[in-house]
Amino acid sequence: MDEFVFARILHVLGVILWIGGVAMVTTVLLPILARMKPAAEAMDFFAQFRRRFAAQARFSTLFVGVTGFYMVYLLDAWQRFTQWQYWWMHAMILIWLLFSIMLFVMEPRGRRQQVSASIQKNISAETFARIQRKHLTLLLLSLITIAGAVAGSHGWLIPGG
Ligand code: HEM
């Protein structure tokens, strides 16, 4: 069982690094950038920041995925994916997939297109508001998932089934 506890520790550390970063970007960085002028300069700064954060987030996403699947394997808990009481297991996979697509597919593609975008300079405060709304949605979904995973994995399941 020690292996399981070890995987759980690494899993939670990965989640903290990753979702903590998302929370900081959403509640601190983006509101500041939305007020910064000129907006095109703020976007350039955000692009640099995002590139660095994405590298770190890619690492923690992989880490959380490997430790997560390792725990499912150790628990032999695959049947949980057929039971709705374990909705938080589905939620963890969903959040993980969403972020993996963003970090491994969309972010590198966005970086390639960025040069032409910064030439256009048609960036406004509304651009940041839109980015912030997306981040807030992902953050709220992640927090609900974390709450469900902590409650569920410590035995607080919805009764029935
Ligand atoms: C491939 C994706 C993932 C898999 C396969 C996975 C799997 C697991 C498993 C098997 C457990 C232990 C459940 C138990 O003890 O009964 C767990 C715990 C947990 N996971 Fe995940 N997980 C994944 C992604 C995530 C993500 C994206 C988050 C955060 C948004 C997350 C947050 C947590 C938390 C907070 C716990 C509870 C830890 C505790 O209280 O001890 N996981 N996960």
Side-chain angles (χ1 to χ4, degrees), residues 4 8 11-12 15 18 64-65 68-69 71-72 75 80 88-89 92-93 95-96 142 146 149-150 153-154:
F4 179 80
R8 183 189 285 250
H11 191 69
V12 172
V15 169
W18 161 17
V64 166
F69 280 119
M71 283 193 287
V72 178
L75 289 170
R80 284 185 184 180
W88 45 276
M89 294 284 295
M92 287 192 293
I93 303 267
I95 295 287
W96 182 76
S142 306
I146 291 170
V150 173
S153 65
H154 293 273

Side-chain angles (χ1 to χ4, degrees), residues 29-60:
L29 183 75
L30 284 168
I32 291 177
L33 288 178
R35 271 180 242 122
M36 210 165 123
K37 288 197 171 57
E41 229 165 80
M43 184 50 86
D44 281 344
F45 173 83
F46 182 60
Q48 282 180 46
F49 182 95
R50 193 176 53 179
R51 201 174 317 139
R52 238 197 122 80
F53 178 61
Q56 180 198 306
R58 266 195 287 272
F59 176 76
S60 21

